Amino acid sequence: MSDALDRLIDDYLDGSATAEQVADLDRRLRADDATLRRFTQLARNHDALRELVRDDRLATPTAITGPRRPRRRLRTPHRRRHLAVLAAVAAVLVLGLSWWRFAPDGRGSWRLAVVASEGDTVIERDGHGLDATAGFALHSGDRIMLGEDGSCRLRDADGSELLLQASTRLLLLDRPGKHAHLETGEVHATIAEQQPGDELSLATADALVEVLGTRFVLGHRDSATYLRVEEGRVRYTEVASGTSELIVAGGSAGRARPQQAAPISRPPRIANLIPAPRQPHGDDPAVIWYDDFDRERDGPYFDGEPGSPGMTRSVRQRLGDGGAAAQLHYPSGRHGVGAWRLAFGDCPVGRPVHADEQFTEVYWRIYVMQQDGWSERPGKFTTASGLYDHNWSQAFLLQITSSDDVLVLQPISSVVDGRPRATVYNDFDHFDWSRPARGRQPISASSETGRWICVESHLRLNTPGENDGYAAIWIDGRLDAERGDLDLRGTYEEHGINAIFFEAYRDKQRATTEGHRWLDDFVVSTAPIGPVVAPPEPELIRRADACQAWELQIGDEAGNVRWYSTTLASDTIRVRVDASNGRFDNMGERLAPGSYTCRLRARSAAEAAWSPWSHWHQPFRVEDATSAE
Amino acid sequence: MPAESRGDRRRRCGVARAENACPLPVDMADGEEEQEVADDDGRHRRFRALFQQQHRQLRAFLGSALADWNLADDLLQEVAVVLWQRFDEIDDERSFGAFAHGIAVNMLRREFGGRHRRMRLLSPEAVERVAAGFAPDRDGTDEDDGDERLQALRRCLDQLTARTRRLLDLRYREGIGLEAVAERVDGNAAAVKKALTRARSQLHGCIERRLAREQLP
């Protein structure tokens, strides 16, 4: 078999074949049995490769019981009926197959997934080290390894949670039931009530803790085990002596706990920073629109009047310490109040800016802050559309929504044979939903509320007739999700990307609590934007979580720490990055022009241990002092 | 309200019993209920076992026909739903593979048959040929050597450099595009594509050599 044929098949199976290559392969497959045999062999290899390399996403029947990605919408005439049947069957399956979880051979097995992780956290599987990203499904046999700055929260399908502290190694044992071996470190466990007959245990080198519904802390450091039960009861057995005792709430066993881990309520964060008075976007020819929401601006926003309930601004919450921010309000039991809809380019609605231009590629950046402590998922986040009619009918759109705690990219097209088919706004019957891309950073998690987060989105339309479109989002400067090979517009060229929406809209059924989101420093550009520009001695503001002391570091793009704060007192919320509050790595007096990001740690009392370092967040740029004035 | 079928009740009660919350009909004796739960449990096990024998073959077929392995995962889930729904139609479990394959082919045809050009996929005629290439024999035997292939691949992966394994990890485990992989490894997309192509070629050859060796007498 020729190498050329292998390469042709390989390119096709990898999804990177050109239209000509696909046609060539198609012809050969129809004509030649040897090509067909080779194709099936290589397809099996591709499948095996993915199975081995990727995380647990096999489409076995049990997977049906788990959360599923949003579906590609079916486009048959009986789609609704079909979906209804599928939904009904799926509902039966979700119930029916969940029985397997309790069947004797699978009884109460771990079904753990990573909820959040910080710092150095790695999953060791089959000799490979895998990143512990949110949503990562764990297997029996996996070892979760945390570095000195690591922390990791795991959640089981039954709702139990394991919070692994810094420098912990936990092995999920490969045997029936839920069993894990704490090799070293400390686990804070909140265990949901187990089914009768289920087994759940955590072992260390010298003790075994068997559990029914309870809450406890188990640690194993310096070759000794300690246990403190906070709720319920556990059975504690010393391996050496075989003695066993029931430990109830308030009780402890093993040696004294060496040092109380810092009971910091949640990971510390930099909530806000003070941007330079003058941002570069006003003079940048690539910028289509810039709005710091400090004043009411009529014109390119449509379907609302500035100052009306739909376009309310807040002067209490804003990026920096002056001006205002756009406000989205989510009353209990309602979709939400607030929408900022920008028209630009060839938008047929409203009064677009740059009306004489067409845009096929845009970046848009927004700072977003979710009300502190309000961790409900606010549904829609932002949408970029190609509107082609006065009634807002969309030729294509990229929807970015909150799902669980992360953002999800959903590309959608209504173009068929070179013509948009949507006849009204959100014409779902004419939408073709591409495969979504799910983000990783839990921006709606409680730990991330109450701070400004920099979100930059990117949409590039396909070349007409090709599928080379691209969409991505970056959160705090880190790539969070992307989708390539997009074909959003087919050969349609009459309208480009011409509207960006921010709307308060969530599922009413889940709208159980009231909350707010604020938006600030909105930029739309044809080039990458990046975070705000700060002065060379930037001022940063810590989220006001209770602590006794805290420390801050400023790192550059390469991950090198460029500034170390002194130990800062709890009442120091706002700190200037200068030589009086810390030291620069180069003995300098201010940050050099460049891109930076922050991390911090806190402790609750003088004698307590420091919390792990937070992940790097709250990026900013420093420009030459003369240009930032 | 339509009458609940015996099967529905069995499924509902089978599950609910696990949650200690099933409102049993008053006329159902304990013994009968236990027997039904046992039947249901056995049915689940049989379905699971049969599906697990077939899922790699089905996924390889769907993935190769769609040239999109995530989409193939999605569609395979749909196939599993329909298979479960129609499981009672299978008299002879040896025909499960052919039955599952037929459903997968039909669903693929229905979902994507009219969109192959736009999605840059094989034509329906070529897909029919590929489907035939993956079709299990009617007597329940087929050439699926999935476990051996995985075993061989596992050993072959050990021969790759750490950098190449990292590329495979990024591309297939994290599922990110070539440009993003390049960004993560400080390379460019063309070089990443070339390295991945070379790695897969090396793996294909290695797998075949190992599988062939195992077939020697």
Side-chain angles (χ1 to χ4, degrees), chain B residues 43-96:
Chain B
R43 189 166 172 271
H44 287 148
R45 286 167 182 277
R46 283 204 315 284
F47 177 78
R48 180 174 55 174
L50 290 166
F51 189 82
Q52 281 178 343
Q53 282 170 21
Q54 297 297 328
H55 82 268
R56 281 200 194 107
Q57 182 88 340
L58 293 170
R59 197 179 54 206
F61 162 58
L62 294 172
S64 62
L66 291 167
D68 182 330
W69 301 81
N70 291 322
L71 203 54
D73 276 346
D74 282 356
L75 191 58
L76 185 58
Q77 289 195 352
E78 308 260 4
V79 170
V81 169
V82 175
L83 270 174
W84 173 247
Q85 184 185 19
R86 298 179 58 182
F87 189 46
D88 286 341
E89 295 175 25
I90 301 173
D91 296 327
D92 182 353
E93 290 183 356
R94 284 176 302 176
S95 66
F96 182 86

Short mmCIF file of all heavy atoms in Angstrom, two decimals, chain B residues 43-96:
data_model
loop_
_atom_site.label_atom_id
_atom_site.label_comp_id
_atom_site.label_asym_id
_atom_site.label_seq_id
_atom_site.Cartn_x
_atom_site.Cartn_y
_atom_site.Cartn_z
N ARG B 43 -31.34 -7.88 31.82
CA ARG B 43 -31.48 -7.28 30.50
C ARG B 43 -30.46 -6.15 30.31
O ARG B 43 -29.83 -6.03 29.27
CB ARG B 43 -32.92 -6.73 30.40
CG ARG B 43 -33.36 -6.26 29.06
CD ARG B 43 -34.87 -6.09 29.07
NE ARG B 43 -35.32 -5.45 27.84
CZ ARG B 43 -35.41 -4.15 27.67
NH1 ARG B 43 -35.10 -3.35 28.66
NH2 ARG B 43 -35.82 -3.65 26.53
N HIS B 44 -30.31 -5.32 31.35
CA HIS B 44 -29.30 -4.26 31.30
C HIS B 44 -27.92 -4.84 31.07
O HIS B 44 -27.16 -4.34 30.25
CB HIS B 44 -29.27 -3.48 32.62
CG HIS B 44 -30.45 -2.59 32.82
ND1 HIS B 44 -30.95 -2.33 34.07
CD2 HIS B 44 -31.21 -1.90 31.95
CE1 HIS B 44 -31.97 -1.52 33.95
NE2 HIS B 44 -32.16 -1.24 32.69
N ARG B 45 -27.64 -5.87 31.80
CA ARG B 45 -26.29 -6.45 31.69
C ARG B 45 -26.04 -6.98 30.29
O ARG B 45 -24.97 -6.79 29.72
CB ARG B 45 -26.13 -7.60 32.67
CG ARG B 45 -25.98 -7.19 34.10
CD ARG B 45 -26.18 -8.44 34.97
NE ARG B 45 -26.08 -8.08 36.35
CZ ARG B 45 -24.94 -7.96 37.00
NH1 ARG B 45 -23.81 -8.17 36.38
NH2 ARG B 45 -24.91 -7.64 38.27
N ARG B 46 -27.04 -7.66 29.76
CA ARG B 46 -26.87 -8.22 28.41
C ARG B 46 -26.65 -7.12 27.39
O ARG B 46 -25.78 -7.20 26.54
CB ARG B 46 -28.10 -9.06 28.03
CG ARG B 46 -28.15 -10.43 28.68
CD ARG B 46 -28.99 -11.40 27.87
NE ARG B 46 -30.26 -10.84 27.40
CZ ARG B 46 -31.33 -10.64 28.14
NH1 ARG B 46 -31.30 -10.97 29.42
NH2 ARG B 46 -32.44 -10.14 27.62
N PHE B 47 -27.49 -6.08 27.50
CA PHE B 47 -27.36 -4.97 26.55
C PHE B 47 -25.98 -4.33 26.66
O PHE B 47 -25.29 -4.08 25.68
CB PHE B 47 -28.44 -3.92 26.80
CG PHE B 47 -28.32 -2.72 25.90
CD1 PHE B 47 -28.76 -2.79 24.58
CD2 PHE B 47 -27.73 -1.55 26.34
CE1 PHE B 47 -28.63 -1.70 23.73
CE2 PHE B 47 -27.60 -0.45 25.50
CZ PHE B 47 -28.06 -0.53 24.20
N ARG B 48 -25.58 -4.09 27.90
CA ARG B 48 -24.29 -3.44 28.10
C ARG B 48 -23.17 -4.28 27.52
O ARG B 48 -22.28 -3.78 26.83
CB ARG B 48 -24.05 -3.20 29.59
CG ARG B 48 -22.72 -2.53 29.87
CD ARG B 48 -22.58 -2.18 31.32
NE ARG B 48 -22.76 -3.33 32.19
CZ ARG B 48 -22.57 -3.31 33.50
NH1 ARG B 48 -22.23 -2.20 34.09
NH2 ARG B 48 -22.73 -4.38 34.22
N ALA B 49 -23.22 -5.58 27.80
CA ALA B 49 -22.15 -6.46 27.31
C ALA B 49 -22.11 -6.47 25.79
O ALA B 49 -21.05 -6.37 25.18
CB ALA B 49 -22.36 -7.87 27.85
N LEU B 50 -23.29 -6.56 25.18
CA LEU B 50 -23.34 -6.61 23.72
C LEU B 50 -22.88 -5.30 23.11
O LEU B 50 -22.14 -5.27 22.13
CB LEU B 50 -24.77 -6.93 23.26
CG LEU B 50 -25.24 -8.35 23.55
CD1 LEU B 50 -26.76 -8.46 23.37
CD2 LEU B 50 -24.53 -9.35 22.64
N PHE B 51 -23.32 -4.21 23.72
CA PHE B 51 -22.94 -2.91 23.17
C PHE B 51 -21.44 -2.68 23.31
O PHE B 51 -20.79 -2.14 22.41
CB PHE B 51 -23.72 -1.79 23.86
CG PHE B 51 -23.54 -0.45 23.20
CD1 PHE B 51 -24.30 -0.12 22.08
CD2 PHE B 51 -22.60 0.46 23.65
CE1 PHE B 51 -24.12 1.10 21.45
CE2 PHE B 51 -22.41 1.67 23.02
CZ PHE B 51 -23.18 2.00 21.93
N GLN B 52 -20.91 -3.10 24.43
CA GLN B 52 -19.48 -2.89 24.63
C GLN B 52 -18.65 -3.70 23.63
O GLN B 52 -17.55 -3.30 23.27
CB GLN B 52 -19.08 -3.21 26.06
CG GLN B 52 -19.45 -2.04 26.99
CD GLN B 52 -19.14 -2.29 28.44
OE1 GLN B 52 -18.93 -3.44 28.83
NE2 GLN B 52 -19.12 -1.25 29.24
N GLN B 53 -19.18 -4.81 23.20
CA GLN B 53 -18.46 -5.58 22.17
C GLN B 53 -18.44 -4.82 20.85
O GLN B 53 -17.55 -5.01 20.04
CB GLN B 53 -19.16 -6.92 21.94
CG GLN B 53 -18.87 -7.96 22.99
CD GLN B 53 -19.79 -9.17 22.82
OE1 GLN B 53 -20.33 -9.40 21.75
NE2 GLN B 53 -19.98 -9.91 23.89
N GLN B 54 -19.44 -4.00 20.64
CA GLN B 54 -19.60 -3.37 19.32
C GLN B 54 -19.18 -1.92 19.25
O GLN B 54 -19.02 -1.38 18.16
CB GLN B 54 -21.08 -3.46 18.90
CG GLN B 54 -21.60 -4.86 18.72
CD GLN B 54 -20.86 -5.58 17.61
OE1 GLN B 54 -20.43 -4.98 16.64
NE2 GLN B 54 -20.69 -6.89 17.77
N HIS B 55 -19.02 -1.26 20.41
CA HIS B 55 -18.96 0.19 20.35
C HIS B 55 -17.73 0.71 19.61
O HIS B 55 -17.78 1.72 18.93
CB HIS B 55 -19.09 0.82 21.74
CG HIS B 55 -17.83 0.86 22.54
ND1 HIS B 55 -17.47 -0.14 23.40
CD2 HIS B 55 -16.85 1.78 22.58
CE1 HIS B 55 -16.33 0.16 23.96
NE2 HIS B 55 -15.92 1.31 23.48
N ARG B 56 -16.62 -0.02 19.70
CA ARG B 56 -15.41 0.46 19.00
C ARG B 56 -15.61 0.39 17.49
O ARG B 56 -15.23 1.29 16.76
CB ARG B 56 -14.20 -0.38 19.38
CG ARG B 56 -13.64 0.00 20.71
CD ARG B 56 -12.21 -0.47 20.85
NE ARG B 56 -11.83 -0.37 22.24
CZ ARG B 56 -11.69 -1.41 23.06
NH1 ARG B 56 -11.85 -2.63 22.61
NH2 ARG B 56 -11.37 -1.21 24.31
N GLN B 57 -16.19 -0.72 17.08
CA GLN B 57 -16.43 -0.91 15.64
C GLN B 57 -17.37 0.17 15.13
O GLN B 57 -17.15 0.77 14.08
CB GLN B 57 -17.05 -2.30 15.45
CG GLN B 57 -17.33 -2.68 14.03
CD GLN B 57 -16.13 -3.35 13.39
OE1 GLN B 57 -15.01 -3.20 13.87
NE2 GLN B 57 -16.35 -4.05 12.31
N LEU B 58 -18.42 0.45 15.90
CA LEU B 58 -19.40 1.47 15.49
C LEU B 58 -18.76 2.85 15.48
O LEU B 58 -18.96 3.65 14.57
CB LEU B 58 -20.59 1.46 16.46
CG LEU B 58 -21.47 0.22 16.43
CD1 LEU B 58 -22.44 0.24 17.61
CD2 LEU B 58 -22.25 0.15 15.12
N ARG B 59 -17.97 3.11 16.50
CA ARG B 59 -17.36 4.45 16.59
C ARG B 59 -16.34 4.65 15.47
O ARG B 59 -16.24 5.73 14.90
CB ARG B 59 -16.71 4.62 17.96
CG ARG B 59 -16.41 6.06 18.32
CD ARG B 59 -15.80 6.14 19.70
NE ARG B 59 -14.66 5.27 19.79
CZ ARG B 59 -14.21 4.73 20.92
NH1 ARG B 59 -14.82 4.95 22.05
NH2 ARG B 59 -13.16 3.95 20.93
N ALA B 60 -15.59 3.61 15.17
CA ALA B 60 -14.61 3.72 14.08
C ALA B 60 -15.33 3.98 12.76
O ALA B 60 -14.89 4.80 11.95
CB ALA B 60 -13.77 2.45 13.99
N PHE B 61 -16.46 3.31 12.57
CA PHE B 61 -17.24 3.54 11.35
C PHE B 61 -17.76 4.97 11.31
O PHE B 61 -17.56 5.70 10.32
CB PHE B 61 -18.39 2.54 11.26
CG PHE B 61 -19.47 2.96 10.31
CD1 PHE B 61 -19.18 3.21 8.96
CD2 PHE B 61 -20.78 3.15 10.74
CE1 PHE B 61 -20.16 3.63 8.08
CE2 PHE B 61 -21.76 3.57 9.87
CZ PHE B 61 -21.45 3.81 8.54
N LEU B 62 -18.41 5.39 12.38
CA LEU B 62 -19.01 6.74 12.37
C LEU B 62 -17.93 7.81 12.29
O LEU B 62 -18.06 8.80 11.56
CB LEU B 62 -19.86 6.94 13.64
CG LEU B 62 -21.11 6.05 13.74
CD1 LEU B 62 -21.76 6.20 15.11
CD2 LEU B 62 -22.10 6.40 12.64
N GLY B 63 -16.84 7.61 13.03
CA GLY B 63 -15.76 8.60 13.02
C GLY B 63 -15.14 8.72 11.64
O GLY B 63 -14.84 9.83 11.18
N SER B 64 -14.97 7.59 10.98
CA SER B 64 -14.34 7.66 9.65
C SER B 64 -15.31 8.22 8.62
O SER B 64 -14.91 8.93 7.70
CB SER B 64 -13.85 6.28 9.23
OG SER B 64 -14.93 5.38 9.12
N ALA B 65 -16.58 7.94 8.77
CA ALA B 65 -17.55 8.47 7.80
C ALA B 65 -17.72 9.97 7.98
O ALA B 65 -17.92 10.70 7.02
CB ALA B 65 -18.89 7.77 7.96
N LEU B 66 -17.63 10.44 9.22
CA LEU B 66 -17.85 11.86 9.49
C LEU B 66 -16.56 12.66 9.51
O LEU B 66 -16.60 13.90 9.47
CB LEU B 66 -18.56 12.03 10.85
CG LEU B 66 -20.00 11.56 10.91
CD1 LEU B 66 -20.48 11.48 12.36
CD2 LEU B 66 -20.89 12.51 10.13
N ALA B 67 -15.42 11.97 9.61
CA ALA B 67 -14.12 12.64 9.77
C ALA B 67 -14.19 13.63 10.93
O ALA B 67 -13.56 14.70 10.92
CB ALA B 67 -13.70 13.35 8.49
N ASP B 68 -14.97 13.31 11.93
CA ASP B 68 -15.10 14.16 13.11
C ASP B 68 -15.45 13.23 14.26
O ASP B 68 -16.57 12.75 14.37
CB ASP B 68 -16.20 15.21 12.89
CG ASP B 68 -16.34 16.16 14.08
OD1 ASP B 68 -16.06 15.73 15.22
OD2 ASP B 68 -16.74 17.31 13.88
N TRP B 69 -14.48 13.02 15.11
CA TRP B 69 -14.64 11.96 16.13
C TRP B 69 -15.48 12.41 17.29
O TRP B 69 -16.09 11.56 17.97
CB TRP B 69 -13.26 11.46 16.55
CG TRP B 69 -12.53 10.92 15.35
CD1 TRP B 69 -11.85 11.64 14.42
CD2 TRP B 69 -12.50 9.56 14.91
NE1 TRP B 69 -11.39 10.81 13.43
CE2 TRP B 69 -11.76 9.54 13.70
CE3 TRP B 69 -13.00 8.37 15.42
CZ2 TRP B 69 -11.52 8.36 13.00
CZ3 TRP B 69 -12.75 7.20 14.72
CH2 TRP B 69 -12.03 7.19 13.52
N ASN B 70 -15.56 13.70 17.53
CA ASN B 70 -16.47 14.16 18.59
C ASN B 70 -17.92 14.04 18.14
O ASN B 70 -18.79 13.62 18.90
CB ASN B 70 -16.16 15.61 18.96
CG ASN B 70 -14.84 15.72 19.67
OD1 ASN B 70 -14.48 14.86 20.47
ND2 ASN B 70 -14.09 16.75 19.35
N LEU B 71 -18.12 14.38 16.89
CA LEU B 71 -19.47 14.23 16.33
C LEU B 71 -19.86 12.74 16.33
O LEU B 71 -21.01 12.38 16.58
CB LEU B 71 -19.47 14.79 14.91
CG LEU B 71 -20.80 15.23 14.32
CD1 LEU B 71 -21.48 16.23 15.23
CD2 LEU B 71 -20.56 15.86 12.95
N ALA B 72 -18.88 11.91 16.05
CA ALA B 72 -19.14 10.47 16.06
C ALA B 72 -19.55 10.00 17.46
O ALA B 72 -20.44 9.17 17.60
CB ALA B 72 -17.90 9.71 15.59
N ASP B 73 -18.91 10.54 18.48
CA ASP B 73 -19.30 10.21 19.85
C ASP B 73 -20.76 10.58 20.09
O ASP B 73 -21.53 9.82 20.69
CB ASP B 73 -18.43 10.98 20.85
CG ASP B 73 -17.12 10.28 21.12
OD1 ASP B 73 -17.00 9.09 20.75
OD2 ASP B 73 -16.23 10.90 21.69
N ASP B 74 -21.12 11.79 19.63
CA ASP B 74 -22.50 12.24 19.82
C ASP B 74 -23.48 11.29 19.13
O ASP B 74 -24.49 10.88 19.69
CB ASP B 74 -22.69 13.63 19.21
CG ASP B 74 -22.13 14.72 20.12
OD1 ASP B 74 -21.70 14.37 21.23
OD2 ASP B 74 -22.13 15.87 19.71
N LEU B 75 -23.15 10.97 17.89
CA LEU B 75 -24.07 10.13 17.13
C LEU B 75 -24.12 8.72 17.71
O LEU B 75 -25.18 8.08 17.72
CB LEU B 75 -23.64 10.09 15.65
CG LEU B 75 -24.65 9.47 14.70
CD1 LEU B 75 -25.99 10.19 14.76
CD2 LEU B 75 -24.14 9.51 13.26
N LEU B 76 -23.00 8.26 18.22
CA LEU B 76 -23.00 6.93 18.82
C LEU B 76 -23.92 6.88 20.04
O LEU B 76 -24.58 5.87 20.30
CB LEU B 76 -21.57 6.53 19.21
CG LEU B 76 -21.40 5.12 19.74
CD1 LEU B 76 -21.89 4.08 18.74
CD2 LEU B 76 -19.94 4.84 20.09
N GLN B 77 -23.97 7.98 20.75
CA GLN B 77 -24.90 8.01 21.88
C GLN B 77 -26.34 7.90 21.40
O GLN B 77 -27.17 7.23 22.01
CB GLN B 77 -24.70 9.30 22.68
CG GLN B 77 -23.38 9.29 23.44
CD GLN B 77 -23.33 10.35 24.50
OE1 GLN B 77 -24.20 11.19 24.59
NE2 GLN B 77 -22.29 10.30 25.32
N GLU B 78 -26.61 8.58 20.30
CA GLU B 78 -27.96 8.48 19.73
C GLU B 78 -28.24 7.03 19.30
O GLU B 78 -29.34 6.51 19.48
CB GLU B 78 -28.09 9.38 18.50
CG GLU B 78 -27.67 10.81 18.74
CD GLU B 78 -28.85 11.73 18.97
OE1 GLU B 78 -29.95 11.20 19.02
OE2 GLU B 78 -28.64 12.94 19.12
N VAL B 79 -27.24 6.42 18.72
CA VAL B 79 -27.39 5.03 18.29
C VAL B 79 -27.69 4.15 19.50
O VAL B 79 -28.58 3.28 19.46
CB VAL B 79 -26.13 4.54 17.55
CG1 VAL B 79 -26.18 3.03 17.30
CG2 VAL B 79 -25.97 5.27 16.23
N ALA B 80 -26.97 4.39 20.58
CA ALA B 80 -27.18 3.59 21.80
C ALA B 80 -28.61 3.75 22.31
O ALA B 80 -29.24 2.78 22.75
CB ALA B 80 -26.17 3.99 22.87
N VAL B 81 -29.11 4.99 22.23
CA VAL B 81 -30.49 5.24 22.70
C VAL B 81 -31.48 4.43 21.88
O VAL B 81 -32.36 3.75 22.41
CB VAL B 81 -30.81 6.75 22.60
CG1 VAL B 81 -32.30 6.99 22.83
CG2 VAL B 81 -29.99 7.54 23.60
N VAL B 82 -31.31 4.47 20.57
CA VAL B 82 -32.24 3.75 19.70
C VAL B 82 -32.09 2.24 19.89
O VAL B 82 -33.08 1.49 19.92
CB VAL B 82 -32.02 4.15 18.22
CG1 VAL B 82 -32.88 3.32 17.30
CG2 VAL B 82 -32.33 5.63 18.04
N LEU B 83 -30.87 1.80 20.03
CA LEU B 83 -30.64 0.36 20.24
C LEU B 83 -31.33 -0.14 21.49
O LEU B 83 -31.95 -1.20 21.51
CB LEU B 83 -29.13 0.09 20.37
CG LEU B 83 -28.38 -0.20 19.08
CD1 LEU B 83 -26.89 -0.30 19.38
CD2 LEU B 83 -28.87 -1.52 18.48
N TRP B 84 -31.19 0.65 22.54
CA TRP B 84 -31.83 0.26 23.81
C TRP B 84 -33.34 0.23 23.67
O TRP B 84 -34.03 -0.67 24.13
CB TRP B 84 -31.39 1.23 24.90
CG TRP B 84 -32.09 1.06 26.21
CD1 TRP B 84 -32.94 1.93 26.79
CD2 TRP B 84 -31.99 -0.06 27.09
NE1 TRP B 84 -33.39 1.43 27.98
CE2 TRP B 84 -32.82 0.21 28.19
CE3 TRP B 84 -31.29 -1.27 27.05
CZ2 TRP B 84 -32.97 -0.68 29.25
CZ3 TRP B 84 -31.44 -2.15 28.11
CH2 TRP B 84 -32.27 -1.85 29.20
N GLN B 85 -33.84 1.23 22.94
CA GLN B 85 -35.28 1.32 22.72
C GLN B 85 -35.78 0.09 21.97
O GLN B 85 -36.88 -0.38 22.21
CB GLN B 85 -35.54 2.59 21.90
CG GLN B 85 -36.98 2.92 21.65
CD GLN B 85 -37.11 4.13 20.73
OE1 GLN B 85 -36.16 4.48 20.02
NE2 GLN B 85 -38.26 4.74 20.75
N ARG B 86 -34.94 -0.42 21.07
CA ARG B 86 -35.39 -1.53 20.21
C ARG B 86 -34.76 -2.86 20.61
O ARG B 86 -34.76 -3.81 19.81
CB ARG B 86 -35.07 -1.18 18.75
CG ARG B 86 -35.81 0.08 18.30
CD ARG B 86 -35.49 0.44 16.88
NE ARG B 86 -35.79 -0.62 15.94
CZ ARG B 86 -35.55 -0.56 14.63
NH1 ARG B 86 -35.04 0.54 14.12
NH2 ARG B 86 -35.82 -1.57 13.85
N PHE B 87 -34.22 -2.91 21.79
CA PHE B 87 -33.48 -4.11 22.20
C PHE B 87 -34.37 -5.36 22.20
O PHE B 87 -33.93 -6.47 21.90
CB PHE B 87 -32.88 -3.87 23.59
CG PHE B 87 -31.92 -4.94 24.04
CD1 PHE B 87 -30.93 -5.43 23.19
CD2 PHE B 87 -31.99 -5.44 25.33
CE1 PHE B 87 -30.05 -6.41 23.60
CE2 PHE B 87 -31.11 -6.41 25.75
CZ PHE B 87 -30.14 -6.90 24.89
N ASP B 88 -35.64 -5.16 22.51
CA ASP B 88 -36.56 -6.30 22.57
C ASP B 88 -36.77 -6.95 21.19
O ASP B 88 -37.24 -8.08 21.10
CB ASP B 88 -37.92 -5.87 23.13
CG ASP B 88 -37.84 -5.63 24.62
OD1 ASP B 88 -36.89 -6.14 25.25
OD2 ASP B 88 -38.70 -4.90 25.15
N GLU B 89 -36.45 -6.21 20.14
CA GLU B 89 -36.66 -6.75 18.79
C GLU B 89 -35.62 -7.80 18.42
O GLU B 89 -35.76 -8.51 17.42
CB GLU B 89 -36.60 -5.63 17.74
CG GLU B 89 -37.71 -4.62 17.87
CD GLU B 89 -37.52 -3.46 16.89
OE1 GLU B 89 -36.86 -3.65 15.84
OE2 GLU B 89 -38.02 -2.37 17.19
N ILE B 90 -34.55 -7.89 19.20
CA ILE B 90 -33.46 -8.80 18.83
C ILE B 90 -33.73 -10.18 19.44
O ILE B 90 -33.72 -10.33 20.67
CB ILE B 90 -32.12 -8.26 19.32
CG1 ILE B 90 -31.87 -6.89 18.70
CG2 ILE B 90 -30.98 -9.21 18.98
CD1 ILE B 90 -30.68 -6.17 19.24
N ASP B 91 -34.01 -11.14 18.59
CA ASP B 91 -34.27 -12.50 19.07
C ASP B 91 -32.98 -13.24 19.34
O ASP B 91 -32.85 -13.96 20.32
CB ASP B 91 -35.08 -13.27 18.02
CG ASP B 91 -36.45 -12.64 17.82
OD1 ASP B 91 -36.97 -12.11 18.83
OD2 ASP B 91 -36.96 -12.64 16.69
N ASP B 92 -32.04 -13.07 18.45
CA ASP B 92 -30.79 -13.81 18.54
C ASP B 92 -29.66 -12.82 18.81
O ASP B 92 -29.38 -11.96 17.98
CB ASP B 92 -30.55 -14.55 17.21
CG ASP B 92 -29.28 -15.37 17.25
OD1 ASP B 92 -28.53 -15.28 18.25
OD2 ASP B 92 -29.04 -16.10 16.27
N GLU B 93 -29.05 -12.94 19.98
CA GLU B 93 -28.04 -11.95 20.35
C GLU B 93 -26.84 -11.96 19.42
O GLU B 93 -26.08 -11.00 19.38
CB GLU B 93 -27.63 -12.15 21.81
CG GLU B 93 -28.77 -11.76 22.75
CD GLU B 93 -28.40 -11.86 24.21
OE1 GLU B 93 -27.26 -12.31 24.49
OE2 GLU B 93 -29.23 -11.49 25.04
N ARG B 94 -26.68 -13.04 18.68
CA ARG B 94 -25.55 -13.06 17.74
C ARG B 94 -25.76 -12.05 16.61
O ARG B 94 -24.82 -11.66 15.92
CB ARG B 94 -25.38 -14.46 17.15
CG ARG B 94 -24.74 -15.43 18.12
CD ARG B 94 -24.69 -16.81 17.53
NE ARG B 94 -26.04 -17.28 17.16
CZ ARG B 94 -26.29 -18.43 16.55
NH1 ARG B 94 -25.29 -19.23 16.21
NH2 ARG B 94 -27.52 -18.79 16.27
N SER B 95 -27.00 -11.62 16.43
CA SER B 95 -27.25 -10.65 15.36
C SER B 95 -27.19 -9.21 15.88
O SER B 95 -27.47 -8.28 15.14
CB SER B 95 -28.62 -10.91 14.75
OG SER B 95 -29.63 -10.64 15.70
N PHE B 96 -26.82 -9.03 17.16
CA PHE B 96 -26.80 -7.68 17.73
C PHE B 96 -25.87 -6.76 16.94
O PHE B 96 -26.19 -5.60 16.66
CB PHE B 96 -26.38 -7.73 19.20
CG PHE B 96 -26.39 -6.38 19.87
CD1 PHE B 96 -27.54 -5.88 20.45
CD2 PHE B 96 -25.24 -5.60 19.92
CE1 PHE B 96 -27.55 -4.63 21.05
CE2 PHE B 96 -25.24 -4.35 20.53
CZ PHE B 96 -26.41 -3.87 21.10
#
